[in-house]
Amino acid sequence: MAESTQGESAADAPVNGLVLTGGGARAAYQVGVLHGIERLRRECGANGGGTPFPVMVGTSAGAINAAALASHADDYPRAVERLYRIWHDFEANHVYRADAFGVVRTGARWLTLFTIGWALARWRRAKPRSLLDNTPLAHLLAEMIPLERVPGLLRSGVLKAFAVTASSYTEGKHVTFYQSAQHKQPWTRSQRVAVSDTITVQHLLASSAIPFVFPAQCIDLDGQRHYFGDGSMRQTAPISPAIHLGATRLLVIGAGRLSEPDGEVRPHGGYPTLAQIGGHALSNIFLDALAVDIERAERINHTLSLLSPELRARSALRPLDLLVIAPSQRIDDIAARHIGALPKPVRTMLRAVGVSKDGKGDSGGGGALASYLLFEADFTRELLALGEADALARRDEVEAFFGWRRPAPHSAAETPLC
């Protein structure tokens, strides 16, 4: 939900915030958008080493992207390029055990609980925690993201705040973990709280622990052990943390289309498969709350525009400059074309719940579910290209948002003769 901040004056300089939402492998799209924006930044001559986003907030895979950018905020262009290269050459085994033994040890045992084999599994005291083992992701994050640099960047003023979100299975609350340059009073809203904490790899693993797919992570909170899962769960107000942390204008990058024209999805006539139901459930978790929150922010902006300057001055609400970039194509359809790129053991396991290799974009082929697990270069490269194209297509809006101006073209008379 878009929320107001108290005590802002019209003379306050705007503070840019970046909000990156969740979506597993779909988060490659976000990096494509940021790569395109950096290209526009260079073309406008607005080059600079520091980040254009002093406030960064991420959820799920978006938390990983945000952490990679925040930890190198003093060399932001290189941070974007480095992150682009990682997504460009991704393999599933960088994120989870994709070998036959690893899949059997986790996913196959987990799936037995849905069959008459549950009794045998119980007899053997099998306690599978998730469909996949994401131990490789923990190693990748420790190597790729130097979170120990964040406190120094906050002290230097390069960053103002950095936050990631997670959902507590223990208490049922949605939690925003944040670090800030200046003291920020933790906030509490219905079923969501903020906690000032030093963000670690454990927080990133918790934020990106897709329910059922990846295991929950244990984090101490108020001296007690809490188990956390994906930050997209119970996230009713995705853009709120950035506002609480001081951002006055926001770039929000989604990982799914915020609206789809009628008739674009080809209906699947048969009874829905587990893959279709699972994909629908994950889309609800990852995509729907953002659309609702953006609509709410736009309504608040419209309402404030109808008030007189005197009434606006007396209101605690402030207009929010909001730029939202989301995929112009259905990522489910893109994923359906790349299901065959998944490692064979993972494909075999997913086939058991209805993910078909020959899904051609229809709603029953399992493309939605597969899209969250397709950490393969064939898929991520197409999303990177789509993100960059979508950013460039919004060139005028991007430049207006940042206040960048393209150099005026030289006339023929001004062009020196060679």
Side-chain angles (χ1 to χ4, degrees), residues 387-409:
E388 186 154 4
D390 285 350
L392 297 179
R394 306 275 296 275
R395 176 189 297 267
D396 291 342
E397 293 171 79
V398 170
E399 291 174 1
F401 178 84
F402 289 103
W404 298 337
R405 291 186 178 181
R406 276 169 280 174

mmCIF file with all atom_site columns, all heavy atoms in Angstrom, residues 387-409:
data_model
loop_
_atom_site.group_PDB
_atom_site.id
_atom_site.type_symbol
_atom_site.label_atom_id
_atom_site.label_alt_id
_atom_site.label_comp_id
_atom_site.label_asym_id
_atom_site.label_entity_id
_atom_site.label_seq_id
_atom_site.pdbx_PDB_ins_code
_atom_site.Cartn_x
_atom_site.Cartn_y
_atom_site.Cartn_z
_atom_site.occupancy
_atom_site.B_iso_or_equiv
_atom_site.pdbx_formal_charge
_atom_site.auth_seq_id
_atom_site.auth_comp_id
_atom_site.auth_asym_id
_atom_site.auth_atom_id
_atom_site.pdbx_PDB_model_num
ATOM 1   N N   . GLY A 1 387 ? 13.248 -7.326 -21.010 1.00 0.00 ? 387 GLY A N   1
ATOM 2   C CA  . GLY A 1 387 ? 13.337 -6.232 -20.055 1.00 0.00 ? 387 GLY A CA  1
ATOM 3   C C   . GLY A 1 387 ? 14.015 -5.008 -20.638 1.00 0.00 ? 387 GLY A C   1
ATOM 4   O O   . GLY A 1 387 ? 13.558 -3.878 -20.459 1.00 0.00 ? 387 GLY A O   1
ATOM 5   N N   . GLU A 1 388 ? 15.116 -5.234 -21.354 1.00 0.00 ? 388 GLU A N   1
ATOM 6   C CA  . GLU A 1 388 ? 15.824 -4.109 -21.951 1.00 0.00 ? 388 GLU A CA  1
ATOM 7   C C   . GLU A 1 388 ? 14.959 -3.431 -23.014 1.00 0.00 ? 388 GLU A C   1
ATOM 8   O O   . GLU A 1 388 ? 14.879 -2.201 -23.078 1.00 0.00 ? 388 GLU A O   1
ATOM 9   C CB  . GLU A 1 388 ? 17.144 -4.583 -22.560 1.00 0.00 ? 388 GLU A CB  1
ATOM 10  C CG  . GLU A 1 388 ? 18.008 -3.459 -23.077 1.00 0.00 ? 388 GLU A CG  1
ATOM 11  C CD  . GLU A 1 388 ? 19.490 -3.805 -23.091 1.00 0.00 ? 388 GLU A CD  1
ATOM 12  O OE1 . GLU A 1 388 ? 19.849 -4.956 -22.769 1.00 0.00 ? 388 GLU A OE1 1
ATOM 13  O OE2 . GLU A 1 388 ? 20.293 -2.909 -23.411 1.00 0.00 ? 388 GLU A OE2 1
ATOM 14  N N   . ALA A 1 389 ? 14.279 -4.228 -23.834 1.00 0.00 ? 389 ALA A N   1
ATOM 15  C CA  . ALA A 1 389 ? 13.410 -3.660 -24.868 1.00 0.00 ? 389 ALA A CA  1
ATOM 16  C C   . ALA A 1 389 ? 12.271 -2.862 -24.245 1.00 0.00 ? 389 ALA A C   1
ATOM 17  O O   . ALA A 1 389 ? 11.907 -1.775 -24.738 1.00 0.00 ? 389 ALA A O   1
ATOM 18  C CB  . ALA A 1 389 ? 12.864 -4.773 -25.756 1.00 0.00 ? 389 ALA A CB  1
ATOM 19  N N   . ASP A 1 390 ? 11.689 -3.372 -23.149 1.00 0.00 ? 390 ASP A N   1
ATOM 20  C CA  . ASP A 1 390 ? 10.591 -2.660 -22.492 1.00 0.00 ? 390 ASP A CA  1
ATOM 21  C C   . ASP A 1 390 ? 11.064 -1.338 -21.905 1.00 0.00 ? 390 ASP A C   1
ATOM 22  O O   . ASP A 1 390 ? 10.344 -0.329 -21.942 1.00 0.00 ? 390 ASP A O   1
ATOM 23  C CB  . ASP A 1 390 ? 9.983  -3.526 -21.393 1.00 0.00 ? 390 ASP A CB  1
ATOM 24  C CG  . ASP A 1 390 ? 9.107  -4.645 -21.950 1.00 0.00 ? 390 ASP A CG  1
ATOM 25  O OD1 . ASP A 1 390 ? 8.820  -4.624 -23.162 1.00 0.00 ? 390 ASP A OD1 1
ATOM 26  O OD2 . ASP A 1 390 ? 8.716  -5.530 -21.161 1.00 0.00 ? 390 ASP A OD2 1
ATOM 27  N N   . ALA A 1 391 ? 12.283 -1.311 -21.352 1.00 0.00 ? 391 ALA A N   1
ATOM 28  C CA  . ALA A 1 391 ? 12.819 -0.064 -20.811 1.00 0.00 ? 391 ALA A CA  1
ATOM 29  C C   . ALA A 1 391 ? 13.057 0.953  -21.916 1.00 0.00 ? 391 ALA A C   1
ATOM 30  O O   . ALA A 1 391 ? 12.721 2.134  -21.777 1.00 0.00 ? 391 ALA A O   1
ATOM 31  C CB  . ALA A 1 391 ? 14.114 -0.335 -20.048 1.00 0.00 ? 391 ALA A CB  1
ATOM 32  N N   . LEU A 1 392 ? 13.633 0.512  -23.023 1.00 0.00 ? 392 LEU A N   1
ATOM 33  C CA  . LEU A 1 392 ? 13.911 1.432  -24.129 1.00 0.00 ? 392 LEU A CA  1
ATOM 34  C C   . LEU A 1 392 ? 12.615 1.938  -24.760 1.00 0.00 ? 392 LEU A C   1
ATOM 35  O O   . LEU A 1 392 ? 12.557 3.073  -25.240 1.00 0.00 ? 392 LEU A O   1
ATOM 36  C CB  . LEU A 1 392 ? 14.781 0.733  -25.176 1.00 0.00 ? 392 LEU A CB  1
ATOM 37  C CG  . LEU A 1 392 ? 16.177 0.301  -24.696 1.00 0.00 ? 392 LEU A CG  1
ATOM 38  C CD1 . LEU A 1 392 ? 16.930 -0.398 -25.816 1.00 0.00 ? 392 LEU A CD1 1
ATOM 39  C CD2 . LEU A 1 392 ? 16.973 1.499  -24.188 1.00 0.00 ? 392 LEU A CD2 1
ATOM 40  N N   . ALA A 1 393 ? 11.583 1.097  -24.757 1.00 0.00 ? 393 ALA A N   1
ATOM 41  C CA  . ALA A 1 393 ? 10.291 1.530  -25.301 1.00 0.00 ? 393 ALA A CA  1
ATOM 42  C C   . ALA A 1 393 ? 9.651  2.615  -24.445 1.00 0.00 ? 393 ALA A C   1
ATOM 43  O O   . ALA A 1 393 ? 8.804  3.366  -24.928 1.00 0.00 ? 393 ALA A O   1
ATOM 44  C CB  . ALA A 1 393 ? 9.353  0.336  -25.419 1.00 0.00 ? 393 ALA A CB  1
ATOM 45  N N   . ARG A 1 394 ? 10.068 2.699  -23.180 1.00 0.00 ? 394 ARG A N   1
ATOM 46  C CA  . ARG A 1 394 ? 9.534  3.718  -22.264 1.00 0.00 ? 394 ARG A CA  1
ATOM 47  C C   . ARG A 1 394 ? 10.541 4.859  -22.090 1.00 0.00 ? 394 ARG A C   1
ATOM 48  O O   . ARG A 1 394 ? 10.567 5.527  -21.057 1.00 0.00 ? 394 ARG A O   1
ATOM 49  C CB  . ARG A 1 394 ? 9.239  3.078  -20.911 1.00 0.00 ? 394 ARG A CB  1
ATOM 50  C CG  . ARG A 1 394 ? 8.328  1.848  -20.965 1.00 0.00 ? 394 ARG A CG  1
ATOM 51  C CD  . ARG A 1 394 ? 6.872  2.196  -20.964 1.00 0.00 ? 394 ARG A CD  1
ATOM 52  N NE  . ARG A 1 394 ? 6.469  2.843  -19.749 1.00 0.00 ? 394 ARG A NE  1
ATOM 53  C CZ  . ARG A 1 394 ? 6.116  2.207  -18.620 1.00 0.00 ? 394 ARG A CZ  1
ATOM 54  N NH1 . ARG A 1 394 ? 6.141  0.884  -18.569 1.00 0.00 ? 394 ARG A NH1 1
ATOM 55  N NH2 . ARG A 1 394 ? 5.735  2.880  -17.550 1.00 0.00 ? 394 ARG A NH2 1
ATOM 56  N N   . ARG A 1 395 ? 11.367 5.079  -23.085 1.00 0.00 ? 395 ARG A N   1
ATOM 57  C CA  . ARG A 1 395 ? 12.470 6.036  -23.005 1.00 0.00 ? 395 ARG A CA  1
ATOM 58  C C   . ARG A 1 395 ? 12.030 7.396  -22.453 1.00 0.00 ? 395 ARG A C   1
ATOM 59  O O   . ARG A 1 395 ? 12.645 7.934  -21.528 1.00 0.00 ? 395 ARG A O   1
ATOM 60  C CB  . ARG A 1 395 ? 13.104 6.219  -24.389 1.00 0.00 ? 395 ARG A CB  1
ATOM 61  C CG  . ARG A 1 395 ? 14.208 7.257  -24.459 1.00 0.00 ? 395 ARG A CG  1
ATOM 62  C CD  . ARG A 1 395 ? 14.613 7.525  -25.898 1.00 0.00 ? 395 ARG A CD  1
ATOM 63  N NE  . ARG A 1 395 ? 15.169 6.352  -26.539 1.00 0.00 ? 395 ARG A NE  1
ATOM 64  C CZ  . ARG A 1 395 ? 16.468 6.079  -26.580 1.00 0.00 ? 395 ARG A CZ  1
ATOM 65  N NH1 . ARG A 1 395 ? 17.345 6.907  -26.014 1.00 0.00 ? 395 ARG A NH1 1
ATOM 66  N NH2 . ARG A 1 395 ? 16.896 5.004  -27.187 1.00 0.00 ? 395 ARG A NH2 1
ATOM 67  N N   . ASP A 1 396 ? 10.977 7.966  -23.011 1.00 0.00 ? 396 ASP A N   1
ATOM 68  C CA  . ASP A 1 396 ? 10.558 9.304  -22.597 1.00 0.00 ? 396 ASP A CA  1
ATOM 69  C C   . ASP A 1 396 ? 10.157 9.332  -21.123 1.00 0.00 ? 396 ASP A C   1
ATOM 70  O O   . ASP A 1 396 ? 10.504 10.273 -20.395 1.00 0.00 ? 396 ASP A O   1
ATOM 71  C CB  . ASP A 1 396 ? 9.396  9.791  -23.470 1.00 0.00 ? 396 ASP A CB  1
ATOM 72  C CG  . ASP A 1 396 ? 9.820  10.060 -24.900 1.00 0.00 ? 396 ASP A CG  1
ATOM 73  O OD1 . ASP A 1 396 ? 11.045 10.199 -25.149 1.00 0.00 ? 396 ASP A OD1 1
ATOM 74  O OD2 . ASP A 1 396 ? 8.936  10.125 -25.786 1.00 0.00 ? 396 ASP A OD2 1
ATOM 75  N N   . GLU A 1 397 ? 9.442  8.296  -20.675 1.00 0.00 ? 397 GLU A N   1
ATOM 76  C CA  . GLU A 1 397 ? 9.023  8.244  -19.276 1.00 0.00 ? 397 GLU A CA  1
ATOM 77  C C   . GLU A 1 397 ? 10.220 8.065  -18.345 1.00 0.00 ? 397 GLU A C   1
ATOM 78  O O   . GLU A 1 397 ? 10.276 8.673  -17.269 1.00 0.00 ? 397 GLU A O   1
ATOM 79  C CB  . GLU A 1 397 ? 8.035  7.101  -19.079 1.00 0.00 ? 397 GLU A CB  1
ATOM 80  C CG  . GLU A 1 397 ? 6.715  7.281  -19.783 1.00 0.00 ? 397 GLU A CG  1
ATOM 81  C CD  . GLU A 1 397 ? 5.884  6.013  -19.714 1.00 0.00 ? 397 GLU A CD  1
ATOM 82  O OE1 . GLU A 1 397 ? 5.266  5.774  -18.657 1.00 0.00 ? 397 GLU A OE1 1
ATOM 83  O OE2 . GLU A 1 397 ? 5.880  5.256  -20.704 1.00 0.00 ? 397 GLU A OE2 1
ATOM 84  N N   . VAL A 1 398 ? 11.161 7.224  -18.748 1.00 0.00 ? 398 VAL A N   1
ATOM 85  C CA  . VAL A 1 398 ? 12.349 6.996  -17.918 1.00 0.00 ? 398 VAL A CA  1
ATOM 86  C C   . VAL A 1 398 ? 13.154 8.283  -17.776 1.00 0.00 ? 398 VAL A C   1
ATOM 87  O O   . VAL A 1 398 ? 13.568 8.664  -16.673 1.00 0.00 ? 398 VAL A O   1
ATOM 88  C CB  . VAL A 1 398 ? 13.215 5.864  -18.515 1.00 0.00 ? 398 VAL A CB  1
ATOM 89  C CG1 . VAL A 1 398 ? 14.570 5.781  -17.798 1.00 0.00 ? 398 VAL A CG1 1
ATOM 90  C CG2 . VAL A 1 398 ? 12.491 4.524  -18.420 1.00 0.00 ? 398 VAL A CG2 1
ATOM 91  N N   . GLU A 1 399 ? 13.374 8.966  -18.896 1.00 0.00 ? 399 GLU A N   1
ATOM 92  C CA  . GLU A 1 399 ? 14.169 10.194 -18.852 1.00 0.00 ? 399 GLU A CA  1
ATOM 93  C C   . GLU A 1 399 ? 13.457 11.272 -18.041 1.00 0.00 ? 399 GLU A C   1
ATOM 94  O O   . GLU A 1 399 ? 14.100 12.015 -17.292 1.00 0.00 ? 399 GLU A O   1
ATOM 95  C CB  . GLU A 1 399 ? 14.451 10.668 -20.273 1.00 0.00 ? 399 GLU A CB  1
ATOM 96  C CG  . GLU A 1 399 ? 15.400 9.732  -21.028 1.00 0.00 ? 399 GLU A CG  1
ATOM 97  C CD  . GLU A 1 399 ? 15.586 10.119 -22.491 1.00 0.00 ? 399 GLU A CD  1
ATOM 98  O OE1 . GLU A 1 399 ? 14.980 11.136 -22.916 1.00 0.00 ? 399 GLU A OE1 1
ATOM 99  O OE2 . GLU A 1 399 ? 16.315 9.412  -23.212 1.00 0.00 ? 399 GLU A OE2 1
ATOM 100 N N   . ALA A 1 400 ? 12.131 11.359 -18.155 1.00 0.00 ? 400 ALA A N   1
ATOM 101 C CA  . ALA A 1 400 ? 11.386 12.341 -17.368 1.00 0.00 ? 400 ALA A CA  1
ATOM 102 C C   . ALA A 1 400 ? 11.449 11.998 -15.879 1.00 0.00 ? 400 ALA A C   1
ATOM 103 O O   . ALA A 1 400 ? 11.568 12.890 -15.028 1.00 0.00 ? 400 ALA A O   1
ATOM 104 C CB  . ALA A 1 400 ? 9.934  12.389 -17.840 1.00 0.00 ? 400 ALA A CB  1
ATOM 105 N N   . PHE A 1 401 ? 11.387 10.712 -15.547 1.00 0.00 ? 401 PHE A N   1
ATOM 106 C CA  . PHE A 1 401 ? 11.430 10.280 -14.148 1.00 0.00 ? 401 PHE A CA  1
ATOM 107 C C   . PHE A 1 401 ? 12.735 10.708 -13.480 1.00 0.00 ? 401 PHE A C   1
ATOM 108 O O   . PHE A 1 401 ? 12.748 11.221 -12.361 1.00 0.00 ? 401 PHE A O   1
ATOM 109 C CB  . PHE A 1 401 ? 11.264 8.767  -14.086 1.00 0.00 ? 401 PHE A CB  1
ATOM 110 C CG  . PHE A 1 401 ? 11.332 8.185  -12.703 1.00 0.00 ? 401 PHE A CG  1
ATOM 111 C CD1 . PHE A 1 401 ? 10.216 8.156  -11.883 1.00 0.00 ? 401 PHE A CD1 1
ATOM 112 C CD2 . PHE A 1 401 ? 12.515 7.647  -12.221 1.00 0.00 ? 401 PHE A CD2 1
ATOM 113 C CE1 . PHE A 1 401 ? 10.278 7.616  -10.613 1.00 0.00 ? 401 PHE A CE1 1
ATOM 114 C CE2 . PHE A 1 401 ? 12.597 7.102  -10.952 1.00 0.00 ? 401 PHE A CE2 1
ATOM 115 C CZ  . PHE A 1 401 ? 11.472 7.087  -10.140 1.00 0.00 ? 401 PHE A CZ  1
ATOM 116 N N   . PHE A 1 402 ? 13.857 10.498 -14.184 1.00 0.00 ? 402 PHE A N   1
ATOM 117 C CA  . PHE A 1 402 ? 15.160 10.828 -13.607 1.00 0.00 ? 402 PHE A CA  1
ATOM 118 C C   . PHE A 1 402 ? 15.586 12.269 -13.877 1.00 0.00 ? 402 PHE A C   1
ATOM 119 O O   . PHE A 1 402 ? 16.564 12.731 -13.294 1.00 0.00 ? 402 PHE A O   1
ATOM 120 C CB  . PHE A 1 402 ? 16.230 9.888  -14.165 1.00 0.00 ? 402 PHE A CB  1
ATOM 121 C CG  . PHE A 1 402 ? 16.136 8.479  -13.670 1.00 0.00 ? 402 PHE A CG  1
ATOM 122 C CD1 . PHE A 1 402 ? 15.612 7.481  -14.467 1.00 0.00 ? 402 PHE A CD1 1
ATOM 123 C CD2 . PHE A 1 402 ? 16.569 8.145  -12.396 1.00 0.00 ? 402 PHE A CD2 1
ATOM 124 C CE1 . PHE A 1 402 ? 15.517 6.172  -14.021 1.00 0.00 ? 402 PHE A CE1 1
ATOM 125 C CE2 . PHE A 1 402 ? 16.479 6.847  -11.932 1.00 0.00 ? 402 PHE A CE2 1
ATOM 126 C CZ  . PHE A 1 402 ? 15.949 5.843  -12.750 1.00 0.00 ? 402 PHE A CZ  1
ATOM 127 N N   . GLY A 1 403 ? 14.874 12.955 -14.765 1.00 0.00 ? 403 GLY A N   1
ATOM 128 C CA  . GLY A 1 403 ? 15.280 14.310 -15.125 1.00 0.00 ? 403 GLY A CA  1
ATOM 129 C C   . GLY A 1 403 ? 16.460 14.334 -16.065 1.00 0.00 ? 403 GLY A C   1
ATOM 130 O O   . GLY A 1 403 ? 17.199 15.321 -16.122 1.00 0.00 ? 403 GLY A O   1
ATOM 131 N N   . TRP A 1 404 ? 16.639 13.267 -16.854 1.00 0.00 ? 404 TRP A N   1
ATOM 132 C CA  . TRP A 1 404 ? 17.723 13.217 -17.820 1.00 0.00 ? 404 TRP A CA  1
ATOM 133 C C   . TRP A 1 404 ? 17.278 13.871 -19.128 1.00 0.00 ? 404 TRP A C   1
ATOM 134 O O   . TRP A 1 404 ? 16.101 13.862 -19.476 1.00 0.00 ? 404 TRP A O   1
ATOM 135 C CB  . TRP A 1 404 ? 18.129 11.775 -18.116 1.00 0.00 ? 404 TRP A CB  1
ATOM 136 C CG  . TRP A 1 404 ? 18.637 11.026 -16.925 1.00 0.00 ? 404 TRP A CG  1
ATOM 137 C CD1 . TRP A 1 404 ? 19.170 11.548 -15.790 1.00 0.00 ? 404 TRP A CD1 1
ATOM 138 C CD2 . TRP A 1 404 ? 18.649 9.605  -16.763 1.00 0.00 ? 404 TRP A CD2 1
ATOM 139 N NE1 . TRP A 1 404 ? 19.520 10.555 -14.924 1.00 0.00 ? 404 TRP A NE1 1
ATOM 140 C CE2 . TRP A 1 404 ? 19.211 9.345  -15.490 1.00 0.00 ? 404 TRP A CE2 1
ATOM 141 C CE3 . TRP A 1 404 ? 18.249 8.535  -17.550 1.00 0.00 ? 404 TRP A CE3 1
ATOM 142 C CZ2 . TRP A 1 404 ? 19.374 8.052  -15.002 1.00 0.00 ? 404 TRP A CZ2 1
ATOM 143 C CZ3 . TRP A 1 404 ? 18.410 7.248  -17.074 1.00 0.00 ? 404 TRP A CZ3 1
ATOM 144 C CH2 . TRP A 1 404 ? 18.973 7.003  -15.812 1.00 0.00 ? 404 TRP A CH2 1
ATOM 145 N N   . ARG A 1 405 ? 18.239 14.408 -19.857 1.00 0.00 ? 405 ARG A N   1
ATOM 146 C CA  . ARG A 1 405 ? 17.944 15.005 -21.157 1.00 0.00 ? 405 ARG A CA  1
ATOM 147 C C   . ARG A 1 405 ? 18.954 14.518 -22.171 1.00 0.00 ? 405 ARG A C   1
ATOM 148 O O   . ARG A 1 405 ? 20.158 14.565 -21.939 1.00 0.00 ? 405 ARG A O   1
ATOM 149 C CB  . ARG A 1 405 ? 17.994 16.544 -21.088 1.00 0.00 ? 405 ARG A CB  1
ATOM 150 C CG  . ARG A 1 405 ? 16.865 17.151 -20.284 1.00 0.00 ? 405 ARG A CG  1
ATOM 151 C CD  . ARG A 1 405 ? 16.897 18.662 -20.374 1.00 0.00 ? 405 ARG A CD  1
ATOM 152 N NE  . ARG A 1 405 ? 15.801 19.268 -19.642 1.00 0.00 ? 405 ARG A NE  1
ATOM 153 C CZ  . ARG A 1 405 ? 15.580 20.579 -19.562 1.00 0.00 ? 405 ARG A CZ  1
ATOM 154 N NH1 . ARG A 1 405 ? 16.412 21.416 -20.177 1.00 0.00 ? 405 ARG A NH1 1
ATOM 155 N NH2 . ARG A 1 405 ? 14.562 21.041 -18.879 1.00 0.00 ? 405 ARG A NH2 1
ATOM 156 N N   . ARG A 1 406 ? 18.425 14.075 -23.307 1.00 0.00 ? 406 ARG A N   1
ATOM 157 C CA  . ARG A 1 406 ? 19.313 13.658 -24.382 1.00 0.00 ? 406 ARG A CA  1
ATOM 158 C C   . ARG A 1 406 ? 19.979 14.878 -25.014 1.00 0.00 ? 406 ARG A C   1
ATOM 159 O O   . ARG A 1 406 ? 19.336 15.930 -25.159 1.00 0.00 ? 406 ARG A O   1
ATOM 160 C CB  . ARG A 1 406 ? 18.524 12.915 -25.455 1.00 0.00 ? 406 ARG A CB  1
ATOM 161 C CG  . ARG A 1 406 ? 18.319 11.452 -25.181 1.00 0.00 ? 406 ARG A CG  1
ATOM 162 C CD  . ARG A 1 406 ? 17.322 10.857 -26.142 1.00 0.00 ? 406 ARG A CD  1
ATOM 163 N NE  . ARG A 1 406 ? 15.952 11.162 -25.711 1.00 0.00 ? 406 ARG A NE  1
ATOM 164 C CZ  . ARG A 1 406 ? 14.868 10.869 -26.419 1.00 0.00 ? 406 ARG A CZ  1
ATOM 165 N NH1 . ARG A 1 406 ? 14.994 10.284 -27.589 1.00 0.00 ? 406 ARG A NH1 1
ATOM 166 N NH2 . ARG A 1 406 ? 13.669 11.161 -25.964 1.00 0.00 ? 406 ARG A NH2 1
ATOM 167 N N   . PRO A 1 407 ? 21.239 14.773 -25.388 1.00 0.00 ? 407 PRO A N   1
ATOM 168 C CA  . PRO A 1 407 ? 21.891 15.899 -26.065 1.00 0.00 ? 407 PRO A CA  1
ATOM 169 C C   . PRO A 1 407 ? 21.159 16.228 -27.359 1.00 0.00 ? 407 PRO A C   1
ATOM 170 O O   . PRO A 1 407 ? 20.683 15.343 -28.071 1.00 0.00 ? 407 PRO A O   1
ATOM 171 C CB  . PRO A 1 407 ? 23.311 15.376 -26.341 1.00 0.00 ? 407 PRO A CB  1
ATOM 172 C CG  . PRO A 1 407 ? 23.497 14.232 -25.403 1.00 0.00 ? 407 PRO A CG  1
ATOM 173 C CD  . PRO A 1 407 ? 22.144 13.624 -25.195 1.00 0.00 ? 407 PRO A CD  1
ATOM 174 N N   . ALA A 1 408 ? 21.051 17.526 -27.647 1.00 0.00 ? 408 ALA A N   1
ATOM 175 C CA  . ALA A 1 408 ? 20.405 17.947 -28.894 1.00 0.00 ? 408 ALA A CA  1
ATOM 176 C C   . ALA A 1 408 ? 21.230 17.469 -30.078 1.00 0.00 ? 408 ALA A C   1
ATOM 177 O O   . ALA A 1 408 ? 22.465 17.535 -30.045 1.00 0.00 ? 408 ALA A O   1
ATOM 178 C CB  . ALA A 1 408 ? 20.259 19.461 -28.917 1.00 0.00 ? 408 ALA A CB  1
ATOM 179 N N   . PRO A 1 409 ? 20.571 16.960 -31.117 1.00 0.00 ? 409 PRO A N   1
ATOM 180 C CA  . PRO A 1 409 ? 21.334 16.506 -32.294 1.00 0.00 ? 409 PRO A CA  1
ATOM 181 C C   . PRO A 1 409 ? 22.017 17.676 -32.973 1.00 0.00 ? 409 PRO A C   1
ATOM 182 O O   . PRO A 1 409 ? 21.494 18.790 -33.027 1.00 0.00 ? 409 PRO A O   1
ATOM 183 C CB  . PRO A 1 409 ? 20.264 15.889 -33.195 1.00 0.00 ? 409 PRO A CB  1
ATOM 184 C CG  . PRO A 1 409 ? 18.975 16.529 -32.764 1.00 0.00 ? 409 PRO A CG  1
ATOM 185 C CD  . PRO A 1 409 ? 19.134 16.791 -31.281 1.00 0.00 ? 409 PRO A CD  1
#
